[in-house]
Short mmCIF file of all heavy atoms in Angstrom, two decimals:
data_model
loop_
_atom_site.label_atom_id
_atom_site.label_comp_id
_atom_site.label_asym_id
_atom_site.label_seq_id
_atom_site.Cartn_x
_atom_site.Cartn_y
_atom_site.Cartn_z
N CYS X 330 8.47 27.35 38.26
CA CYS X 330 8.59 25.92 38.61
C CYS X 330 9.92 25.35 38.14
O CYS X 330 10.39 25.81 37.13
CB CYS X 330 7.46 25.11 38.13
SG CYS X 330 5.86 25.58 38.95
N ALA X 331 10.42 24.36 38.73
CA ALA X 331 11.61 23.66 38.35
C ALA X 331 11.40 22.21 38.43
O ALA X 331 10.65 21.66 39.25
CB ALA X 331 12.78 24.03 39.27
N ALA X 332 12.06 21.51 37.47
CA ALA X 332 11.91 20.02 37.36
C ALA X 332 13.24 19.38 37.06
O ALA X 332 13.87 19.85 36.06
CB ALA X 332 10.82 19.66 36.36
N LEU X 333 13.72 18.50 37.79
CA LEU X 333 14.94 17.77 37.51
C LEU X 333 14.63 16.50 36.76
O LEU X 333 13.85 15.65 37.26
CB LEU X 333 15.55 17.38 38.85
CG LEU X 333 16.98 16.68 38.73
CD1 LEU X 333 18.00 17.59 38.08
CD2 LEU X 333 17.46 16.26 40.02
N LEU X 334 15.04 16.48 35.50
CA LEU X 334 14.63 15.44 34.60
C LEU X 334 15.80 14.62 34.05
O LEU X 334 16.90 15.17 33.83
CB LEU X 334 13.83 15.97 33.38
CG LEU X 334 12.64 16.84 33.73
CD1 LEU X 334 12.00 17.42 32.48
CD2 LEU X 334 11.53 16.00 34.44
N PRO X 335 15.62 13.34 33.80
CA PRO X 335 16.72 12.50 33.26
C PRO X 335 16.83 12.88 31.70
O PRO X 335 15.81 13.17 31.05
CB PRO X 335 16.23 11.16 33.40
CG PRO X 335 14.72 11.21 33.50
CD PRO X 335 14.41 12.54 34.18
N THR X 336 18.02 12.92 31.20
CA THR X 336 18.28 13.19 29.77
C THR X 336 18.66 11.94 29.07
O THR X 336 19.59 11.18 29.54
CB THR X 336 19.38 14.23 29.60
OG1 THR X 336 20.61 13.77 30.38
CG2 THR X 336 18.98 15.54 30.19
N PRO X 337 17.96 11.47 28.04
CA PRO X 337 18.24 10.25 27.37
C PRO X 337 19.35 10.45 26.36
O PRO X 337 20.00 11.47 26.27
CB PRO X 337 16.91 9.91 26.63
CG PRO X 337 16.30 11.27 26.40
CD PRO X 337 16.78 12.14 27.57
N GLY X 338 19.68 9.36 25.56
CA GLY X 338 20.68 9.42 24.61
C GLY X 338 21.98 8.73 24.92
O GLY X 338 22.04 8.05 25.98
N PRO X 339 22.93 8.89 24.12
CA PRO X 339 24.24 8.22 24.34
C PRO X 339 24.94 8.63 25.53
O PRO X 339 25.77 7.84 26.08
CB PRO X 339 24.99 8.49 23.09
CG PRO X 339 24.46 9.78 22.53
CD PRO X 339 23.00 9.72 22.83
N HIS X 340 24.70 9.79 26.06
CA HIS X 340 25.32 10.28 27.28
C HIS X 340 24.20 10.71 28.24
O HIS X 340 23.98 11.88 28.48
CB HIS X 340 26.29 11.50 26.96
CG HIS X 340 27.27 11.19 25.91
ND1 HIS X 340 28.39 10.39 26.13
CD2 HIS X 340 27.39 11.54 24.65
CE1 HIS X 340 29.10 10.27 25.14
NE2 HIS X 340 28.57 10.95 24.18
N PRO X 341 23.61 9.77 28.89
CA PRO X 341 22.52 10.10 29.83
C PRO X 341 22.98 10.83 31.04
O PRO X 341 24.16 10.73 31.41
CB PRO X 341 21.90 8.75 30.13
CG PRO X 341 23.07 7.80 30.05
CD PRO X 341 23.87 8.33 28.91
N GLY X 342 22.04 11.50 31.68
CA GLY X 342 22.34 12.29 32.89
C GLY X 342 21.11 12.91 33.38
O GLY X 342 20.00 12.41 33.26
N HIS X 343 21.23 14.14 34.00
CA HIS X 343 20.05 14.81 34.42
C HIS X 343 20.21 16.32 34.09
O HIS X 343 21.39 16.81 34.00
CB HIS X 343 19.89 14.72 36.00
CG HIS X 343 19.37 13.37 36.42
ND1 HIS X 343 20.22 12.28 36.57
CD2 HIS X 343 18.14 12.98 36.74
CE1 HIS X 343 19.51 11.31 36.96
NE2 HIS X 343 18.22 11.69 37.03
N GLN X 344 19.14 17.01 33.94
CA GLN X 344 19.13 18.50 33.72
C GLN X 344 18.00 19.06 34.54
O GLN X 344 16.93 18.46 34.65
CB GLN X 344 19.12 18.89 32.26
CG GLN X 344 17.81 18.45 31.51
CD GLN X 344 17.86 18.94 30.05
OE1 GLN X 344 18.84 19.56 29.64
NE2 GLN X 344 16.79 18.67 29.40
N LEU X 345 18.26 20.31 35.05
CA LEU X 345 17.34 21.07 35.76
C LEU X 345 16.70 22.08 34.80
O LEU X 345 17.41 22.87 34.33
CB LEU X 345 17.89 21.71 37.01
CG LEU X 345 16.94 22.52 37.84
CD1 LEU X 345 15.91 21.66 38.46
CD2 LEU X 345 17.75 23.31 38.90
N LEU X 346 15.33 21.99 34.69
CA LEU X 346 14.67 22.92 33.73
C LEU X 346 13.80 23.86 34.57
O LEU X 346 13.15 23.43 35.56
CB LEU X 346 13.77 22.12 32.74
CG LEU X 346 14.49 21.26 31.76
CD1 LEU X 346 13.53 20.60 30.88
CD2 LEU X 346 15.49 21.99 30.95
N LEU X 347 13.76 25.12 34.19
CA LEU X 347 12.83 26.17 34.82
C LEU X 347 11.80 26.49 33.86
O LEU X 347 12.04 26.70 32.65
CB LEU X 347 13.74 27.39 35.18
CG LEU X 347 14.93 27.24 36.02
CD1 LEU X 347 15.56 28.53 36.26
CD2 LEU X 347 14.62 26.48 37.26
N PHE X 348 10.54 26.56 34.39
CA PHE X 348 9.35 26.84 33.49
C PHE X 348 8.69 28.07 34.13
O PHE X 348 8.41 28.19 35.30
CB PHE X 348 8.40 25.66 33.60
CG PHE X 348 8.97 24.32 33.03
CD1 PHE X 348 9.66 23.57 33.82
CD2 PHE X 348 8.73 24.04 31.69
CE1 PHE X 348 10.23 22.31 33.24
CE2 PHE X 348 9.22 22.86 31.15
CZ PHE X 348 9.92 21.96 31.96
N GLY X 349 8.36 28.95 33.22
CA GLY X 349 7.58 30.24 33.49
C GLY X 349 8.34 31.16 34.45
O GLY X 349 9.53 31.14 34.56
N GLY X 350 7.63 32.09 35.00
CA GLY X 350 8.15 33.12 35.91
C GLY X 350 8.74 34.26 35.13
O GLY X 350 9.33 35.24 35.83
N CYS X 351 8.62 34.37 33.88
CA CYS X 351 9.09 35.40 33.10
C CYS X 351 8.40 35.49 31.71
O CYS X 351 7.44 34.74 31.51
CB CYS X 351 10.64 35.35 32.93
SG CYS X 351 11.14 34.00 31.86
N ASN X 352 8.81 36.45 30.83
CA ASN X 352 8.12 36.51 29.63
C ASN X 352 8.47 35.44 28.59
O ASN X 352 7.86 35.29 27.53
CB ASN X 352 8.43 37.89 28.93
CG ASN X 352 7.72 39.03 29.70
OD1 ASN X 352 6.75 38.83 30.31
ND2 ASN X 352 8.40 40.20 29.70
N SER X 353 9.53 34.59 28.88
CA SER X 353 9.94 33.55 27.99
C SER X 353 8.93 32.44 27.97
O SER X 353 8.37 31.96 28.99
CB SER X 353 11.32 33.04 28.37
OG SER X 353 11.69 32.00 27.56
N ALA X 354 8.63 31.95 26.71
CA ALA X 354 7.70 30.82 26.59
C ALA X 354 8.46 29.49 26.55
O ALA X 354 7.84 28.49 26.50
CB ALA X 354 6.93 30.94 25.28
N GLU X 355 9.78 29.54 26.71
CA GLU X 355 10.61 28.31 26.64
C GLU X 355 11.17 28.00 28.03
O GLU X 355 11.57 28.88 28.74
CB GLU X 355 11.69 28.49 25.61
CG GLU X 355 11.22 28.97 24.27
CD GLU X 355 11.60 28.00 23.22
OE1 GLU X 355 12.44 27.15 23.42
OE2 GLU X 355 10.99 28.10 22.12
#
Side-chain angles (χ1 to χ4, degrees):
C330 290
L333 184 64
L334 303 176
T336 54
H340 303 288
H343 287 83
Q344 64 179 358
L345 179 64
L346 296 180
L347 305 182
F348 298 85
C351 66
N352 291 330
S353 174
E355 306 238 347

